[in-house]
mmCIF file of all heavy atoms in Angstrom:
data_model
loop_
_atom_site.group_PDB
_atom_site.id
_atom_site.type_symbol
_atom_site.label_atom_id
_atom_site.label_comp_id
_atom_site.label_asym_id
_atom_site.label_seq_id
_atom_site.Cartn_x
_atom_site.Cartn_y
_atom_site.Cartn_z
ATOM 1 N N ASN A 74 9.130 14.840 14.665
ATOM 2 C CA ASN A 74 9.079 15.654 15.902
ATOM 3 C C ASN A 74 10.419 15.477 16.660
ATOM 4 O O ASN A 74 10.407 14.977 17.774
ATOM 5 C CB ASN A 74 7.877 15.227 16.754
ATOM 6 C CG ASN A 74 7.647 16.177 17.880
ATOM 7 O OD1 ASN A 74 8.212 17.234 17.999
ATOM 8 N ND2 ASN A 74 6.732 15.796 18.791
ATOM 9 N N PRO A 75 11.520 15.899 16.088
ATOM 10 C CA PRO A 75 12.828 15.619 16.666
ATOM 11 C C PRO A 75 13.061 16.239 18.050
ATOM 12 O O PRO A 75 13.752 15.656 18.865
ATOM 13 C CB PRO A 75 13.835 16.173 15.660
ATOM 14 C CG PRO A 75 13.043 16.944 14.691
ATOM 15 C CD PRO A 75 11.620 16.587 14.817
ATOM 16 N N GLU A 76 12.476 17.393 18.316
ATOM 17 C CA GLU A 76 12.712 18.033 19.604
ATOM 18 C C GLU A 76 11.895 17.415 20.731
ATOM 19 O O GLU A 76 12.329 17.409 21.895
ATOM 20 C CB GLU A 76 12.402 19.537 19.558
ATOM 21 C CG GLU A 76 13.338 20.342 18.653
ATOM 22 C CD GLU A 76 12.864 20.316 17.215
ATOM 23 O OE1 GLU A 76 11.653 20.258 16.964
ATOM 24 O OE2 GLU A 76 13.747 20.340 16.319
ATOM 25 N N ARG A 77 10.697 16.933 20.437
ATOM 26 C CA ARG A 77 9.801 16.492 21.507
ATOM 27 C C ARG A 77 9.399 15.028 21.443
ATOM 28 O O ARG A 77 8.724 14.551 22.323
ATOM 29 C CB ARG A 77 8.563 17.395 21.473
ATOM 30 C CG ARG A 77 8.920 18.818 21.811
ATOM 31 C CD ARG A 77 7.797 19.782 21.686
ATOM 32 N NE ARG A 77 6.574 19.349 22.307
ATOM 33 C CZ ARG A 77 5.403 19.877 22.069
ATOM 34 N NH1 ARG A 77 5.268 20.843 21.189
ATOM 35 N NH2 ARG A 77 4.319 19.459 22.679
ATOM 36 N N GLY A 78 9.845 14.315 20.400
ATOM 37 C CA GLY A 78 9.495 12.907 20.301
ATOM 38 C C GLY A 78 10.110 12.119 21.454
ATOM 39 O O GLY A 78 11.285 12.262 21.753
ATOM 40 N N LYS A 79 9.331 11.316 22.134
ATOM 41 C CA LYS A 79 9.820 10.626 23.324
ATOM 42 C C LYS A 79 10.307 9.213 23.042
ATOM 43 O O LYS A 79 10.993 8.603 23.866
ATOM 44 C CB LYS A 79 8.708 10.568 24.378
ATOM 45 C CG LYS A 79 8.334 11.957 24.857
ATOM 46 C CD LYS A 79 7.291 11.887 25.902
ATOM 47 C CE LYS A 79 6.957 13.355 26.297
ATOM 48 N NZ LYS A 79 6.157 13.526 27.388
ATOM 49 N N ILE A 80 9.967 8.670 21.878
ATOM 50 C CA ILE A 80 10.369 7.319 21.529
ATOM 51 C C ILE A 80 11.344 7.391 20.375
ATOM 52 O O ILE A 80 11.034 7.976 19.314
ATOM 53 C CB ILE A 80 9.146 6.462 21.153
ATOM 54 C CG1 ILE A 80 8.162 6.413 22.306
ATOM 55 C CG2 ILE A 80 9.571 5.046 20.738
ATOM 56 C CD1 ILE A 80 6.799 5.830 21.950
ATOM 57 N N LEU A 81 12.509 6.813 20.511
ATOM 58 C CA LEU A 81 13.504 6.790 19.464
ATOM 59 C C LEU A 81 13.034 5.861 18.351
ATOM 60 O O LEU A 81 12.607 4.726 18.637
ATOM 61 C CB LEU A 81 14.850 6.350 19.961
ATOM 62 C CG LEU A 81 15.500 7.262 21.036
ATOM 63 C CD1 LEU A 81 16.829 6.712 21.506
ATOM 64 C CD2 LEU A 81 15.665 8.676 20.458
ATOM 65 N N THR A 82 13.065 6.301 17.135
ATOM 66 C CA THR A 82 12.632 5.492 15.996
ATOM 67 C C THR A 82 13.679 5.575 14.905
ATOM 68 O O THR A 82 13.433 6.067 13.806
ATOM 69 C CB THR A 82 11.254 5.984 15.453
ATOM 70 O OG1 THR A 82 11.371 7.396 15.175
ATOM 71 C CG2 THR A 82 10.140 5.732 16.472
ATOM 72 N N PRO A 83 14.892 5.081 15.161
ATOM 73 C CA PRO A 83 15.999 5.262 14.203
ATOM 74 C C PRO A 83 15.755 4.586 12.855
ATOM 75 O O PRO A 83 16.161 5.129 11.835
ATOM 76 C CB PRO A 83 17.197 4.664 14.916
ATOM 77 C CG PRO A 83 16.630 3.700 15.918
ATOM 78 C CD PRO A 83 15.321 4.320 16.344
ATOM 79 N N HIS A 84 15.111 3.418 12.836
ATOM 80 C CA HIS A 84 14.879 2.763 11.563
ATOM 81 C C HIS A 84 13.839 3.502 10.714
ATOM 82 O O HIS A 84 14.021 3.671 9.506
ATOM 83 C CB HIS A 84 14.454 1.296 11.791
ATOM 84 C CG HIS A 84 15.506 0.527 12.548
ATOM 85 N ND1 HIS A 84 16.758 0.255 12.029
ATOM 86 C CD2 HIS A 84 15.475 -0.019 13.785
ATOM 87 C CE1 HIS A 84 17.454 -0.439 12.905
ATOM 88 N NE2 HIS A 84 16.703 -0.601 14.003
ATOM 89 N N MET A 85 12.781 3.947 11.355
ATOM 90 C CA MET A 85 11.760 4.719 10.611
ATOM 91 C C MET A 85 12.377 6.068 10.182
ATOM 92 O O MET A 85 12.041 6.569 9.127
ATOM 93 C CB MET A 85 10.516 4.912 11.470
ATOM 94 C CG MET A 85 9.853 3.564 11.678
ATOM 95 S SD MET A 85 8.095 3.573 12.059
ATOM 96 C CE MET A 85 7.356 4.724 11.008
ATOM 97 N N ASP A 86 13.185 6.643 11.016
ATOM 98 C CA ASP A 86 13.859 7.918 10.659
ATOM 99 C C ASP A 86 14.726 7.704 9.416
ATOM 100 O O ASP A 86 14.726 8.585 8.510
ATOM 101 C CB ASP A 86 14.778 8.403 11.813
ATOM 102 C CG ASP A 86 13.968 8.760 13.059
ATOM 103 O OD1 ASP A 86 12.722 8.784 13.007
ATOM 104 O OD2 ASP A 86 14.604 8.968 14.109
ATOM 105 N N ARG A 87 15.407 6.576 9.320
ATOM 106 C CA ARG A 87 16.253 6.339 8.149
ATOM 107 C C ARG A 87 15.430 6.139 6.894
ATOM 108 O O ARG A 87 15.726 6.675 5.855
ATOM 109 C CB ARG A 87 17.113 5.078 8.384
ATOM 110 C CG ARG A 87 18.021 4.785 7.229
ATOM 111 C CD ARG A 87 18.957 3.634 7.510
ATOM 112 N NE ARG A 87 19.643 3.301 6.281
ATOM 113 C CZ ARG A 87 20.127 2.120 6.034
ATOM 114 N NH1 ARG A 87 20.019 1.150 6.898
ATOM 115 N NH2 ARG A 87 20.756 1.890 4.893
ATOM 116 N N VAL A 88 14.318 5.360 7.026
ATOM 117 C CA VAL A 88 13.423 5.201 5.865
ATOM 118 C C VAL A 88 12.920 6.559 5.404
ATOM 119 O O VAL A 88 12.903 6.843 4.201
ATOM 120 C CB VAL A 88 12.280 4.260 6.252
ATOM 121 C CG1 VAL A 88 11.190 4.264 5.161
ATOM 122 C CG2 VAL A 88 12.761 2.832 6.473
ATOM 123 N N ALA A 89 12.534 7.387 6.325
ATOM 124 C CA ALA A 89 12.027 8.713 5.986
ATOM 125 C C ALA A 89 13.108 9.583 5.359
ATOM 126 O O ALA A 89 12.858 10.321 4.393
ATOM 127 C CB ALA A 89 11.475 9.404 7.220
ATOM 128 N N ALA A 90 14.305 9.517 5.889
ATOM 129 C CA ALA A 90 15.397 10.347 5.363
ATOM 130 C C ALA A 90 15.797 9.937 3.948
ATOM 131 O O ALA A 90 16.224 10.792 3.148
ATOM 132 C CB ALA A 90 16.613 10.235 6.291
ATOM 133 N N GLU A 91 15.640 8.644 3.646
ATOM 134 C CA GLU A 91 16.077 8.136 2.330
ATOM 135 C C GLU A 91 14.929 8.176 1.318
ATOM 136 O O GLU A 91 15.108 7.797 0.173
ATOM 137 C CB GLU A 91 16.628 6.742 2.463
ATOM 138 C CG GLU A 91 17.922 6.698 3.220
ATOM 139 C CD GLU A 91 18.443 5.292 3.419
ATOM 140 O OE1 GLU A 91 17.818 4.330 2.918
ATOM 141 O OE2 GLU A 91 19.464 5.144 4.105
ATOM 142 N N GLY A 92 13.741 8.585 1.765
ATOM 143 C CA GLY A 92 12.590 8.577 0.849
ATOM 144 C C GLY A 92 11.786 9.856 0.890
ATOM 145 O O GLY A 92 12.359 10.940 1.119
ATOM 146 N N MET A 93 10.510 9.711 0.694
ATOM 147 C CA MET A 93 9.589 10.844 0.731
ATOM 148 C C MET A 93 8.640 10.656 1.895
ATOM 149 O O MET A 93 8.279 9.528 2.223
ATOM 150 C CB MET A 93 8.770 10.937 -0.571
ATOM 151 C CG MET A 93 9.550 11.355 -1.740
ATOM 152 S SD MET A 93 8.405 11.639 -3.134
ATOM 153 C CE MET A 93 8.676 10.144 -4.043
ATOM 154 N N ILE A 94 8.224 11.768 2.462
ATOM 155 C CA ILE A 94 7.273 11.765 3.564
ATOM 156 C C ILE A 94 6.039 12.528 3.094
ATOM 157 O O ILE A 94 6.162 13.661 2.606
ATOM 158 C CB ILE A 94 7.855 12.429 4.820
ATOM 159 C CG1 ILE A 94 9.108 11.754 5.273
ATOM 160 C CG2 ILE A 94 6.809 12.420 5.928
ATOM 161 C CD1 ILE A 94 9.844 12.522 6.350
ATOM 162 N N PHE A 95 4.872 11.941 3.265
ATOM 163 C CA PHE A 95 3.633 12.601 2.945
ATOM 164 C C PHE A 95 2.923 12.845 4.269
ATOM 165 O O PHE A 95 2.631 11.906 5.020
ATOM 166 C CB PHE A 95 2.746 11.743 2.009
ATOM 167 C CG PHE A 95 3.409 11.498 0.665
ATOM 168 C CD1 PHE A 95 4.186 10.387 0.459
ATOM 169 C CD2 PHE A 95 3.259 12.437 -0.335
ATOM 170 C CE1 PHE A 95 4.798 10.175 -0.740
ATOM 171 C CE2 PHE A 95 3.855 12.219 -1.549
ATOM 172 C CZ PHE A 95 4.621 11.101 -1.793
ATOM 173 N N THR A 96 2.643 14.075 4.583
ATOM 174 C CA THR A 96 2.087 14.400 5.920
ATOM 175 C C THR A 96 0.705 15.015 5.881
ATOM 176 O O THR A 96 0.155 15.366 6.895
ATOM 177 C CB THR A 96 3.019 15.356 6.671
ATOM 178 O OG1 THR A 96 3.175 16.543 5.884
ATOM 179 C CG2 THR A 96 4.365 14.725 6.934
ATOM 180 N N ASP A 97 0.104 15.135 4.706
ATOM 181 C CA ASP A 97 -1.229 15.717 4.597
ATOM 182 C C ASP A 97 -2.189 14.696 4.040
ATOM 183 O O ASP A 97 -2.481 14.657 2.849
ATOM 184 C CB ASP A 97 -1.180 16.960 3.704
ATOM 185 C CG ASP A 97 -2.500 17.728 3.719
ATOM 186 O OD1 ASP A 97 -3.337 17.467 4.609
ATOM 187 O OD2 ASP A 97 -2.669 18.579 2.853
ATOM 188 N N ALA A 98 -2.646 13.798 4.885
ATOM 189 C CA ALA A 98 -3.547 12.741 4.456
ATOM 190 C C ALA A 98 -4.843 12.844 5.201
ATOM 191 O O ALA A 98 -4.908 13.368 6.319
ATOM 192 C CB ALA A 98 -2.884 11.381 4.724
ATOM 193 N N HIS A 99 -5.905 12.340 4.583
ATOM 194 C CA HIS A 99 -7.243 12.392 5.203
ATOM 195 C C HIS A 99 -7.900 11.056 5.022
ATOM 196 O O HIS A 99 -7.627 10.322 4.081
ATOM 197 C CB HIS A 99 -8.062 13.525 4.549
ATOM 198 C CG HIS A 99 -7.364 14.818 4.598
ATOM 199 N ND1 HIS A 99 -7.463 15.670 5.645
ATOM 200 C CD2 HIS A 99 -6.518 15.403 3.720
ATOM 201 C CE1 HIS A 99 -6.720 16.742 5.428
ATOM 202 N NE2 HIS A 99 -6.135 16.619 4.244
ATOM 203 N N THR A 100 -8.766 10.704 5.903
ATOM 204 C CA THR A 100 -9.500 9.448 5.817
ATOM 205 C C THR A 100 -10.982 9.696 5.631
ATOM 206 O O THR A 100 -11.493 10.745 6.020
ATOM 207 C CB THR A 100 -9.246 8.582 7.093
ATOM 208 O OG1 THR A 100 -9.901 7.343 6.931
ATOM 209 C CG2 THR A 100 -9.690 9.291 8.351
ATOM 210 N N THR A 101 -11.658 8.717 5.044
ATOM 211 C CA THR A 101 -13.075 8.813 4.844
ATOM 212 C C THR A 101 -13.861 8.267 6.060
ATOM 213 O O THR A 101 -15.054 8.275 6.059
ATOM 214 C CB THR A 101 -13.534 8.046 3.605
ATOM 215 O OG1 THR A 101 -13.202 6.672 3.774
ATOM 216 C CG2 THR A 101 -12.850 8.605 2.381
ATOM 217 N N SER A 102 -13.123 7.776 7.034
ATOM 218 C CA SER A 102 -13.790 7.162 8.194
ATOM 219 C C SER A 102 -12.841 7.243 9.385
ATOM 220 O O SER A 102 -11.644 7.413 9.256
ATOM 221 C CB SER A 102 -14.079 5.687 7.861
ATOM 222 O OG SER A 102 -14.674 5.063 8.968
ATOM 223 N N SER A 103 -13.425 7.033 10.580
ATOM 224 C CA SER A 103 -12.630 7.091 11.782
ATOM 225 C C SER A 103 -12.330 5.715 12.363
ATOM 226 O O SER A 103 -11.793 5.627 13.451
ATOM 227 C CB SER A 103 -13.349 7.969 12.824
ATOM 228 O OG SER A 103 -14.578 7.352 13.153
ATOM 229 N N VAL A 104 -12.697 4.672 11.677
ATOM 230 C CA VAL A 104 -12.408 3.320 12.169
ATOM 231 C C VAL A 104 -11.621 2.517 11.127
ATOM 232 O O VAL A 104 -11.597 2.873 9.967
ATOM 233 C CB VAL A 104 -13.724 2.554 12.557
ATOM 234 C CG1 VAL A 104 -14.414 3.239 13.741
ATOM 235 C CG2 VAL A 104 -14.652 2.462 11.383
ATOM 236 N N CYS A 105 -11.031 1.422 11.620
ATOM 237 C CA CYS A 105 -10.028 0.697 10.827
ATOM 238 C C CYS A 105 -10.566 0.034 9.551
ATOM 239 O O CYS A 105 -9.967 0.203 8.490
ATOM 240 C CB CYS A 105 -9.347 -0.325 11.701
ATOM 241 S SG CYS A 105 -10.476 -1.518 12.459
ATOM 242 N N THR A 106 -11.665 -0.697 9.625
ATOM 243 C CA THR A 106 -12.120 -1.447 8.468
ATOM 244 C C THR A 106 -12.382 -0.544 7.285
ATOM 245 O O THR A 106 -11.872 -0.767 6.179
ATOM 246 C CB THR A 106 -13.437 -2.225 8.800
ATOM 247 O OG1 THR A 106 -13.138 -3.181 9.813
ATOM 248 C CG2 THR A 106 -13.971 -2.961 7.576
ATOM 249 N N THR A 107 -13.153 0.466 7.444
ATOM 250 C CA THR A 107 -13.526 1.335 6.349
ATOM 251 C C THR A 107 -12.364 2.197 5.876
ATOM 252 O O THR A 107 -12.264 2.487 4.664
ATOM 253 C CB THR A 107 -14.731 2.186 6.743
ATOM 254 O OG1 THR A 107 -14.477 2.765 8.033
ATOM 255 C CG2 THR A 107 -15.988 1.354 6.833
#
Side-chain angles (χ1 to χ4, degrees):
N74 191 9
E76 294 86 32
R77 295 173 49 196
K79 296 182 182 190
I80 302 169
L81 298 178
T82 54
H84 301 294
M85 295 203 43
D86 295 351
R87 181 175 172 205
V88 169
E91 293 176 3
M93 288 188 259
I94 302 170
F95 297 93
T96 58
D97 188 14
H99 306 274
T100 182
T101 61
S102 179
S103 62
V104 294
C105 58
T106 297
T107 47

